[in-house]
Amino acid sequence: MPVQTIASTASVELGPAAALSCRECGERFDLGPIFACTSCFGPLEIAYELPQGDPEELRRRIEAGPESIWRYAPLLPVPADVAGKPNLNPGFTKLVKADNLARELGVTGELFVKDDSGNPTHSFKDRVVAIAVEAARAFGFTTLSCSSTGNLAGAVGAAAARAGLRSCVFIPHDLEQGKVVMAAVYGGELVGIEGNYDAVNRFCSELIGDPLGEGWGFVNVNLRPYYAEGSKTLAYEICEQLGWRLPDQIVIPIASGSQLTKIDKGLQELIALGLVEDRPYKIFGAQAEGCSPVSAAFKAGHDVVRPVKPDTIAKSLAIGNPADGPYVLDIARRTGGAVEDVTDEQIVDAIKLLARTEGIFAETAGGVTVGVTRKLIEAGVLDPSLTTVVLNTGDGLKTLDAVAPTTGPTATIRPSLDAFRDAGLAL
Amino acid sequence: MPVQTIASTASVELGPAAALSCRECGERFDLGPIFACTSCFGPLEIAYELPQGDPEELRRRIEAGPESIWRYAPLLPVPADVAGKPNLNPGFTKLVKADNLARELGVTGELFVKDDSGNPTHSFKDRVVAIAVEAARAFGFTTLSCSSTGNLAGAVGAAAARAGLRSCVFIPHDLEQGKVVMAAVYGGELVGIEGNYDAVNRFCSELIGDPLGEGWGFVNVNLRPYYAEGSKTLAYEICEQLGWRLPDQIVIPIASGSQLTKIDKGLQELIALGLVEDRPYKIFGAQAEGCSPVSAAFKAGHDVVRPVKPDTIAKSLAIGNPADGPYVLDIARRTGGAVEDVTDEQIVDAIKLLARTEGIFAETAGGVTVGVTRKLIEAGVLDPSLTTVVLNTGDGLKTLDAVAPTTGPTATIRPSLDAFRDAGLAL
């Protein structure tokens, strides 16, 4: 595994981040742009020296901070002065109390939608990319890169532009024009690769190991340990917005599974720091039936995840071989949660349900979590009398195709009152 | 003019709103769903009894309020408990310090972009519709309606869904599918009218005067005096986010001109209340050359605006006969500002400039304001040494067509390092 240390990593200033630690064997490494253990090839994650002392004081410090993920800078691998640097300041998105949706789903407790479509490029990816940008700066990288078929490309392009970094994003050459425009408009380099998404990923791995990729930070490869920590902020915000309280149940979409594991990590940190009361919570994972390897493993009682070939409209969740699948299974089981999946038709129904009840137009991934929530309530697995938070991680404007075939005018009429009366739409 | 008073308007509880007042002759009317003076046919606007007393106390009260336009409830025609009602809680969007853009434009003072793409349905329309919803509730309307070709349709559909109101939106029957989906997804009635936008508007005017329209609140017709006030919140937020300080210069897009006049009204209120220091500011209006009747009148020194037939990619500004045009001319002249226009090509260039410098992907209307800012600096009209705020009122995802023809991959290559090297994209 190539190690591209440009800055001296011994002197890297990334706040409370103390080291990298192997999730499998626990071996520790200096902070640097590495992502796999040299002993056992396990994934590396950040080990922290979190702030000690009075939780009340930390809580006040957070509450007095900026209205973005940087209010949690003391708990993130970022420099203390991060809020003053040019970045997109993502996060602190709305936690919407969804009473209309609750009624439709038969929820008698409190139901909330954490709506990450409010981020700068309208998906949760702005959170993780913002952390990767700080790591890139710390390691002296001058180019921000990734492979992507959607949300990530825009998030990287926008964040690099604002941060004054060069960007170079790799996409399959035959993406729809809308997605290409979203990836290209921020003015970075955009390279179409003749091949599918797997070919793009293989190419990026080659590039990281080659002198050609010197100085390049791939947000979801060599900067992945930092990048992934951005998802912890969803946990922090949910608890703070609930009045420093853990929800009873959270429904989280699964792509690689990273987001779900980091939300659990964030909740555990809040408990350890005394910022929330230590009591049980349940974590539920949500997949599309057309890409449900973790759900299948959960139901079969397996500890390992058998890869699948994705076939679903929920493209942002279509990872057939989810790297964090085993960790997701462990968390769902340990917390008393579950992993469930829904069909494409149920996803579309759920997108429309959320739109017509709460005025939130979600990406297909939001349809997956709302659809799974409905299914789990009907099955008696999710308790409708408790406090439940459902994640919407992206924006419906980016997946218009999913609902377009079944969403249109109620009627088309001549511009006359008679025609309107005949259409039967008056009160 | 039909007056549809369902609730008794004498008892209407809309916070500091005291009456409706004719902008032309000053005649006052009880609060109600009316929009034109019965004496002179002038437009009605809200007259307030604004809070008296210590500005410091009001400032603290606002700062302790919710992170939405409802922090300014004491200055808006809404009930005091508005924040607790189901609505989309728009506003308090980012005021982005645009240092990269400033460098490109030769601005040596502070340059900010007020980025309203962060609103729930990604345009400033959420602000005005949220106020209209409260008026609709106060007057006992059960259906929220509008004519629209874009942003407004989605804003009305979403707000009505969340508020538990019925919605019925009228659009030209031949809109692009993407816009139809955005208008229809929130589950309200969507009616295609066989005719152009003018035909849709004429039909809506007929409907308001007919018993068929009983109980209907048309946000931009019979609720317009309330609706329009939502734009004041842009002024409040800009000043609060600058640390309770007036900017020296603001660049605002002109469609009907209502937004610009209400921003000026908001600034005047802040001065009158002692919330900001009373000192001069300049207001600049921005139009697309293909629909520039106000700019033309400004340059010709006219007080009246001669209607035009719009032909521009900036569809959200394409109002050929802007109702508030004369007021805009008056404000631009009185404050020492100007009104300017840019070509479609300059709009596209400006969208890309903002995206590559600040990571903000703006709607065509944002291209108009950034483009006009550049033009006014080059002409020596806008002072680059002062504090300037440029408005972006919408989201680039909604006007992808504007940039699509000129935005694409830098290169398309085989998945090999050799091909990448040959493309010349390495550092």
Side-chain angles (χ1 to χ4, degrees):
Chain A
M1 194 198 51
V3 180
Q4 307 173 310
T5 26
I6 291 181
S8 162
T9 53
S11 63
V12 160
E13 162 45 26
L14 286 173
L20 292 167
S21 163
C22 176
R23 185 139 188 179
E24 290 297 327
C25 74
E27 188 166 339
R28 283 169 77 100
F29 302 84
D30 281 347
L31 294 172
I34 54 174
F35 55 101
C37 176
T38 49
S39 300
C40 77
F41 301 105
L44 301 182
E45 65 173 357
I46 313 278
Y48 291 95
E49 281 167 13
L50 290 178
Q52 305 292 315
D54 182 16
E56 267 312 319
E57 196 188 307
L58 178 56
R59 210 178 285 171
R60 274 195 301 273
R61 184 173 154 198
I62 290 170
E63 288 172 354
E67 280 112 21
S68 71
I69 59 172
W70 305 135
R71 63 202 284 113
Y72 308 107
L75 314 180
L76 295 171
V78 295
D81 63 348
V82 62
K85 301 187 178 200
N87 65 68
L88 294 177
N89 298 311
F92 217 61
T93 55
K94 291 184 200 298
L95 183 71
V96 177
K97 184 131 188 297
D99 292 346
N100 298 332
L101 179 61
R103 266 191 300 279
E104 294 258 356
L105 297 182
V107 171
T108 53
E110 292 181 312
L111 180 65
F112 295 90
V113 174
K114 178 63 176 170
D115 185 13
D116 248 17
S117 68
N119 274 314
T121 72
H122 307 320
S123 89
F124 94 98
K125 291 289 185 189
D126 291 324
R127 298 177 184 272
V128 288
V129 170
I131 310 283
V133 164
E134 295 311 314
R137 287 198 236 251
F139 301 136
F141 289 144
T142 49
T143 299
L144 210 61
S145 187
C146 71
S147 55
S148 173
T149 64
N151 285 328
L152 187 56
V156 165
R162 172 95 177 135
L165 297 170
R166 189 174 179 264
S167 72
C168 188
V169 169
F170 298 93
I171 56 172
H173 70 115
D174 55 357
L175 275 194
E176 306 93 294
Q177 194 194 29
K179 289 188 178 171
V180 173
V181 171
M182 284 187 247
V185 76
Y186 300 103
E189 309 292 350
L190 180 71
V191 179
I193 296 288
E194 291 168 358
N196 60 18
Y197 185 59
D198 285 340
V200 179
N201 271 325
R202 274 195 305 273
F203 170 77
C204 287
S205 298
E206 266 192 273
L207 187 54
I208 291 174
D210 191 272
L212 276 176
E214 189 81 24
W216 289 45
F218 285 79
V219 299
N220 53 351
V221 188
N222 57 352
L223 298 178
R224 188 169 186 85
Y226 308 89
Y227 166 90
E229 295 292 295
S231 291
K232 290 196 311 179
T233 59
L234 279 161
Y236 303 154
E237 289 180 18
I238 288 168
C239 290
E240 182 181 351
Q241 290 170 322
L242 287 174
W244 296 107
R245 178 165 61 98
L246 290 167
D248 299 309
Q249 307 171 126
I250 312 186
V251 185
I252 304 169
I254 301 171
S256 72
S258 168
Q259 184 184 68
L260 187 147
T261 65
K262 295 301 179 182
I263 288 175
D264 181 60
K265 187 180 180 186
L267 297 177
Q268 291 296 327
E269 286 173 355
L270 294 183
I271 292 171
L273 290 163
L275 290 175
V276 297
E277 192 191 349
D278 184 5
R279 58 183 195 75
Y281 58 83
K282 295 183 180 184
I283 289 191
F284 298 85
Q287 295 204 295
E289 187 182 84
C291 182
S292 54
V294 187
S295 172
F298 181 85
K299 291 173 183 174
H302 295 161
D303 292 333
V304 293
V305 172
R306 184 191 300 238
V308 300
K309 194 160 177 288
D311 178 19
T312 169
I313 57 170
K315 305 274 186 221
S316 63
L317 304 182
I319 297 184
N321 187 12
D324 285 344
Y327 303 121
V328 168
L329 291 169
D330 179 54
I331 290 167
R333 288 176 180 137
R334 174 167 49 73
T335 65
V339 184
E340 188 50 273
D341 56 86
V342 282
T343 66
D344 282 2
E345 198 184 334
Q346 289 169 322
I347 293 168
V348 171
D349 284 350
I351 291 173
K352 292 182 181 177
L353 174 64
L354 182 61
R356 80 174 157 78
T357 53
E358 304 298 343
I360 297 171
F361 184 20
E363 211 215 284
T364 42
V368 169
T369 50
V370 172
V372 161
T373 302
R374 170 149 67 178
K375 190 169 175 181
L376 289 173
I377 290 171
E378 285 167 3
V381 176
L382 200 136
D383 186 337
S385 71
L386 301 179
T387 297
T388 305
V389 175
V390 180
L391 259 62
N392 171 39
T393 51
D395 202 293
L397 287 179
K398 296 195 184 184
T399 55
L400 282 175
D401 290 349
V403 293
T406 57
T407 306
T410 322
T412 299
I413 61 170
R414 282 173 296 111
S416 84
L417 293 175
D418 283 345
F420 182 65
R421 192 179 293 110
D422 292 347
L425 292 170
L427 278 182
Chain B
M1 192 198 50
V3 179
Q4 305 174 308
T5 25
I6 291 180
S8 161
T9 54
S11 64
V12 159
E13 162 46 27
L14 285 174
L20 292 168
S21 163
C22 175
R23 185 140 188 179
E24 290 298 328
C25 74
E27 187 167 339
R28 284 168 78 100
F29 301 84
D30 281 348
L31 294 172
I34 54 174
F35 56 101
C37 177
T38 48
S39 301
C40 77
F41 301 103
L44 300 183
E45 64 174 357
I46 312 278
Y48 291 95
E49 281 167 12
L50 289 178
Q52 304 292 316
D54 182 16
E56 267 311 319
E57 195 188 308
L58 179 55
R59 210 178 284 172
R60 273 195 302 272
R61 183 174 155 197
I62 290 170
E63 288 172 352
E67 280 112 22
S68 70
I69 59 171
W70 305 136
R71 64 201 284 114
Y72 308 107
L75 313 180
L76 295 170
V78 295
D81 63 347
V82 63
K85 301 188 179 201
N87 64 69
L88 295 177
N89 298 312
F92 218 60
T93 55
K94 292 184 199 300
L95 182 71
V96 177
K97 184 131 188 297
D99 292 347
N100 298 332
L101 179 63
R103 265 190 301 277
E104 294 256 356
L105 296 182
V107 170
T108 53
E110 292 181 311
L111 180 65
F112 295 89
V113 175
K114 179 63 175 172
D115 185 13
D116 249 17
S117 67
N119 274 315
T121 72
H122 308 318
S123 90
F124 95 99
K125 291 288 186 191
D126 291 324
R127 297 177 183 272
V128 286
V129 170
I131 309 283
V133 164
E134 295 311 315
R137 287 198 237 253
F139 301 135
F141 290 145
T142 49
T143 298
L144 209 62
S145 186
C146 70
S147 55
S148 173
T149 64
N151 286 328
L152 187 56
V156 165
R162 171 95 177 136
L165 297 170
R166 190 173 178 262
S167 72
C168 187
V169 169
F170 297 93
I171 56 172
H173 70 115
D174 54 358
L175 275 194
E176 307 93 294
Q177 194 194 29
K179 289 188 178 171
V180 173
V181 171
M182 284 187 248
V185 75
Y186 300 103
E189 309 292 350
L190 180 71
V191 179
I193 296 288
E194 290 168 359
N196 60 18
Y197 185 60
D198 285 340
V200 179
N201 272 325
R202 273 194 307 273
F203 171 76
C204 287
S205 298
E206 265 192 273
L207 188 53
I208 291 173
D210 191 271
L212 276 176
E214 188 80 22
W216 289 45
F218 285 79
V219 299
N220 52 350
V221 188
N222 57 351
L223 299 178
R224 188 169 187 86
Y226 308 89
Y227 166 90
E229 296 291 293
S231 290
K232 290 196 312 179
T233 59
L234 280 161
Y236 303 154
E237 290 181 18
I238 288 168
C239 290
E240 182 181 352
Q241 290 170 323
L242 287 175
W244 295 107
R245 179 165 61 97
L246 289 167
D248 299 310
Q249 306 172 126
I250 312 188
V251 185
I252 304 169
I254 301 170
S256 72
S258 168
Q259 186 183 67
L260 187 146
T261 66
K262 295 302 178 180
I263 289 175
D264 181 59
K265 186 180 181 187
L267 297 176
Q268 290 297 324
E269 287 173 355
L270 294 183
I271 292 171
L273 290 163
L275 291 175
V276 298
E277 193 190 350
D278 185 5
R279 57 183 195 75
Y281 58 83
K282 294 183 180 184
I283 288 191
F284 297 85
Q287 295 204 296
E289 188 182 83
C291 181
S292 53
V294 188
S295 171
F298 181 85
K299 291 172 185 175
H302 295 160
D303 292 333
V304 294
V305 172
R306 183 191 302 239
V308 300
K309 193 160 176 289
D311 178 19
T312 169
I313 57 170
K315 305 275 185 218
S316 63
L317 303 182
I319 297 184
N321 187 13
D324 285 344
Y327 303 120
V328 167
L329 290 169
D330 178 56
I331 291 168
R333 288 178 180 135
R334 174 168 48 77
T335 65
V339 184
E340 188 51 273
D341 56 86
V342 282
T343 66
D344 282 1
E345 197 184 335
Q346 289 170 321
I347 293 169
V348 171
D349 283 351
I351 290 173
K352 292 182 183 177
L353 173 65
L354 182 60
R356 79 174 158 79
T357 52
E358 303 299 342
I360 297 171
F361 183 22
E363 210 215 285
T364 42
V368 169
T369 50
V370 172
V372 161
T373 302
R374 171 149 67 178
K375 190 168 175 182
L376 289 173
I377 291 171
E378 286 167 2
V381 177
L382 200 135
D383 186 337
S385 72
L386 301 178
T387 296
T388 305
V389 175
V390 180
L391 259 61
N392 171 39
T393 51
D395 202 294
L397 288 179
K398 296 195 185 186
T399 55
L400 282 175
D401 289 350
V403 294
T406 57
T407 306
T410 322
T412 299
I413 61 170
R414 282 173 296 110
S416 84
L417 293 175
D418 282 346
F420 182 66
R421 192 179 293 109
D422 292 347
L425 293 171
L427 278 181

